[in-house]
């Protein structure tokens, strides 16, 4: 029933695609931004084609040959497992920050089938297993492209982005931390002036754009709510002031070209602030339509309607869809390689370890419950459903993370780590698959339950071992007090360098002046016996002029 060579070949092929993508980025042929662009193409084009093709094909004879009394409840199991894992993940992350909670709960909602599971399931259980997988996929697609998408959007809206109206009539839309404006946001003053950019502890801090109500603007660095650092000020009449600012005052002029990097960063911060403001005003109706208009959701809805009506995919449409569907898997794997970050810091490893414990602990627990209620005579369903419960995180999570301002590197690490974990579990299922029919269902479910407990325990031990020490915590507290990394720019560091050089020059100038004065006094003392006689022979005014000339010459030499 199982063919280990096929499984190993498939695993090796997937790993090769990922390695090629990583090599392309390492050789600077592709960049992180290129990877995100390609992934957006896969999300909006090739993935909908794959879902439409697989779900409409699955309504044919392959499923009909595998339909039994138990297969009728497979979609219900799929929906229950997706919702149950989401609720369990929320319980595990209920005290985490909103963005972290959104990323981890959304990642645990549903599994990756169309872009990962089909080849493995078909290699182990053949066409009947693929048929059950397709039946599981319809509700799972609704969970992944509907519920998970809504979780990301809702956590961004309800967690750290909202609107506040001040007593003076000013309106703030954006992100918050501990009931203070913090992160990215937009503020409209009663006068009509606006600020779009970064905030820290209720004040403008970092990069942003300030636009005056009567015309003119400033784009650049802010500190303690004032223009501070590199920036460019455009007056109403078109006059441009580019250079260094301190406490809203223009102190040093530079060229506009010298400010280009800071201006680009300020514009990017303003764009992020506008996105945060948009998220803070997202209503339930807008959230619904945002999810409903998502291309994979449209593909799932269309395929489900076609299956319900008994309509097959037209031949012409199939000729268009099939090449795009076949291209999805290599495109996604290459993109995973481009976005893959093999080196993670300690906190990221800790976050991944906790997530894997939550996801696979809940997945194995769900598999144990589902397989216990499947009749002993239908061993195929027990093996397939148990494997489907531990499939990896959907790759679409990286796109959700980018859209909703989450940690993209952590999202990629979660996706890649879950795929590695699933491959190890699939190899175990491949070994057990020929013997499932002879294993009592209670024993099989008990083994899954024990595996769930082992995974949760290993995760807890790993999280505790990776916890930062007291010294690391002190460093982190110091880092929090300093401006965040996203608010530091090359221009701010260069400005700090210029200030340090200026202070060093002042100190050096003072030291040289003192040395010159001491040297001049010493020269004057040595010259006193010779000049005394000259003074006696010269007029007083000539003597004074000679002394002043000697002192001036000494200072000039120094």
């Amino acid at each position: 029933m199982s063919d280990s060579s096929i499984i190993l070949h498939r695993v090796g092929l997937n790993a090769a695609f990922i390695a090629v993508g990583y090599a392309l980025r390492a050789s600077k042929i592709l960049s992180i931004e290129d990877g995100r662009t390609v992934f957006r193409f896969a999300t909006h084009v090739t993935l909908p084609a794959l879902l439409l093709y697989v779900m409409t094909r699955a309504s044919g004879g392959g499923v009909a040959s595998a339909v039994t009394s138990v297969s009728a409840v497979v979609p219900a199991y799929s929906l229950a497992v997706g919702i149950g894992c989401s609720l369990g993940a929320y319980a595990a992350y209920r005290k985490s920050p909103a963005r972290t909670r959104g990323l981890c709960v959304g990642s645990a909602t549903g599994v990756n089938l169309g872009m990962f599971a089909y080849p493995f399931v078909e290699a182990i259980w053949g066409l009947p297993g693929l048929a059950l997988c397709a039946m599981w996929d319809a509700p799972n697609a609704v969970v992944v492209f509907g519920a998970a998408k809504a979780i990301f959007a809702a956590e961004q809206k309800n967690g750290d982005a909202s609107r506040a109206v001040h007593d003076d009539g000013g309106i703030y839309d954006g992100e918050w931390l501990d009931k203070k404006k913090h992160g990215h946001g937009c503020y409209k003053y009663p006068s009509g002036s606006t600020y779009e950019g970064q905030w820290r502890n209720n004040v403008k801090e970092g990069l942003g754009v300030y636009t005056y109500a009567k015309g003119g603007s400033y784009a650049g660095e802010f500190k303690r709510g004032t223009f501070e650092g590199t920036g460019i000020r455009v007056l109403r009449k078109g006059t441009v002031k580019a250079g260094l600012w301190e406490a809203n005052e223009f102190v040093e002029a530079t060229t506009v070209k010298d400010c280009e990097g800071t201006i680009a960063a300020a514009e990017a911060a303003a764009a992020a602030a506008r996105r945060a403001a948009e998220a803070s005003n997202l209503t339930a109706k807008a959230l619904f339509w945002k999810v409903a208009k998502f291309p994979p959701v449209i593909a799932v809805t269309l395929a489900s309607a076609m299956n319900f009506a008994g309509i097959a995919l037209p031949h012409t449409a199939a000729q268009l869809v099939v090449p795009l569907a076949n291209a999805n898997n290599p495109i996604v794997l290459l993109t995973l390689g481009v976005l893959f970050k093999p080196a993670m810091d300690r906190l990221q490893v800790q976050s991944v370890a906790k997530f894997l414990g939550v996801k696979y602990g809940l997945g194995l627990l769900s598999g144990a419950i589902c397989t216990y209620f499947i009749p002993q005579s239908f061993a195929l369903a027990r093996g397939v459903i148990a494997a489907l419960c531990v499939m990896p995180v959907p790759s679409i999570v990286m796109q959700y993370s980018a859209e909703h301002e989450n940690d993209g590197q952590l999202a990629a690490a979660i996706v890649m780590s879950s795929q590695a974990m699933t491959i190890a579990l699939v190899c175990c299922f491949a070994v057990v698959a020929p013997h499932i029919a002879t294993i009592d269902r209670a024993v099989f479910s008990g083994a899954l339950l024990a595996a769930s407990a082992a995974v949760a325990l290993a995760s807890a031990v790993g999280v505790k071992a990776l916890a930062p020490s007291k010294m690391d915590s002190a460093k982190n507290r110091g880092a929090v007090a300093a401006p965040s990394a996203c608010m530091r720019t090359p221009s701010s560091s260069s400005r700090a360098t210029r200030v340090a050089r200026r202070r060093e020059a002042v100190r050096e100038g003072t030291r040289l002046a003192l040395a010159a004065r001491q040297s001049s006094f010493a020269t004057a003392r040595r010259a006193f016996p010779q000049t005394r006689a000259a003074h006696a022979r010269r007029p007083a005014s000539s003597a004074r002029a000679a002394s002043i000339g000697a002192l001036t010459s000494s200072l000039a030499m120094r």
Side-chain angles (χ1 to χ4, degrees), residues 221-382:
E221 295 177 304
F222 289 79
K223 190 172 183 180
R224 295 185 295 274
T226 63
F227 305 161
E228 183 90 16
T230 305
I232 184 169
R233 171 85 163 87
V234 180
L235 304 180
R236 281 186 298 171
K237 297 180 180 180
T239 306
V240 176
K241 294 182 178 180
L244 291 178
W245 298 75
E246 291 181 3
N248 289 335
E249 296 293 332
F250 188 57
V251 296
E252 182 178 331
T254 62
T255 64
V256 175
K257 187 175 182 179
D258 293 335
C259 302
E260 285 180 352
T262 303
I263 304 310
E267 293 290 347
R274 288 191 292 271
R275 289 195 297 270
E278 181 183 358
S280 68
N281 293 321
L282 192 64
T283 62
K285 182 179 179 180
L287 177 62
F288 170 78
W289 285 112
K290 188 173 183 179
V291 173
K293 291 187 293 184
F294 194 51
V297 176
I298 296 174
V300 170
T301 305
L302 180 60
S304 301
M306 292 175 65
N307 289 341
F308 181 79
I311 301 174
L313 189 67
H315 179 68
T316 305
Q319 288 182 323
L320 176 64
V321 168
V322 169
L324 293 173
N326 292 334
N328 183 78
N329 198 42
I331 287 177
V332 170
L333 291 173
L334 285 170
T335 307
L336 288 177
V338 173
L339 299 177
F340 180 54
K341 180 188 176 186
M344 294 186 291
D345 58 38
R346 190 170 182 171
L347 291 179
Q348 285 181 322
V349 175
Q350 184 187 36
S351 299
V352 171
K354 178 179 179 180
F355 175 80
L356 292 179
V358 171
K359 174 178 170 51
Y360 287 95
L362 292 172
L364 290 167
L365 176 62
S366 301
I369 296 173
C370 292
T371 55
Y372 181 78
F373 293 99
I374 295 176
Q376 180 71 26
S377 59
F378 203 57
L380 172 68
R382 291 212 309 276

Side-chain angles (χ1 to χ4, degrees), residues 70-144:
V70 69
S71 63
V73 299
V74 169
Y77 279 171
S78 174
L79 190 62
V81 169
I83 296 175
C85 289
S86 179
L87 294 175
Y90 183 82
Y93 288 96
R94 65 187 184 279
K95 295 183 180 180
S96 299
R99 292 187 185 278
T100 302
R101 185 171 61 245
L103 173 60
C104 295
V105 176
S107 299
T109 303
V111 294
N112 188 344
L113 295 186
M115 290 187 285
F116 189 91
Y118 283 98
F120 295 103
V121 172
E122 187 174 10
I124 300 173
W125 289 284
L127 188 59
L130 188 62
L132 289 175
C133 185
M135 295 180 66
W136 185 282
D137 198 12
N140 176 73
V142 174
V143 170
V144 170

Side-chain angles (χ1 to χ4, degrees), residues 493-549:
S493 61
S494 61
R495 176 180 177 273
T497 303
R498 288 195 299 270
V499 171
R501 289 175 179 174
R502 201 176 301 161
R503 290 174 178 172
E504 181 63 26
V506 170
R507 288 195 294 268
E508 184 67 12
T510 304
R511 187 182 66 80
L512 291 174
L514 291 174
R517 181 176 296 180
Q518 293 172 358
S519 176
S520 64
F521 289 155
T523 303
R525 283 197 298 270
R526 287 194 300 270
F528 182 74
Q530 291 80 11
T531 58
R532 186 174 181 180
H535 278 291
R537 297 190 297 267
R538 295 180 186 176
S541 58
S542 300
R544 282 195 299 271
S547 299
I548 294 173

Side-chain angles (χ1 to χ4, degrees), residues 1 375-380 382 431-444:
M1 182 180 292
Q376 180 71 26
S377 59
F378 203 57
L380 172 68
R382 291 212 309 276
V431 174
V432 177
H435 312 288
I436 291 181
T438 61
I439 301 175
D440 184 75
R441 63 175 182 175
V443 175
F444 186 74

Side-chain angles (χ1 to χ4, degrees), residues 346-347 465-480:
R346 190 170 182 171
L347 291 179
L466 292 167
S469 62
K470 292 182 179 180
M471 183 178 297
D472 294 334
S473 300
K475 290 181 180 179
N476 290 337
R477 285 194 296 270
V480 170

Side-chain angles (χ1 to χ4, degrees), residues 168-170 187-195 210-216:
D168 61 357
Y187 191 88
K188 185 174 182 179
Y189 292 85
S191 63
S193 300
T194 60
Y195 170 74
Y210 187 95
T211 304
Y212 291 88
K214 296 182 179 180

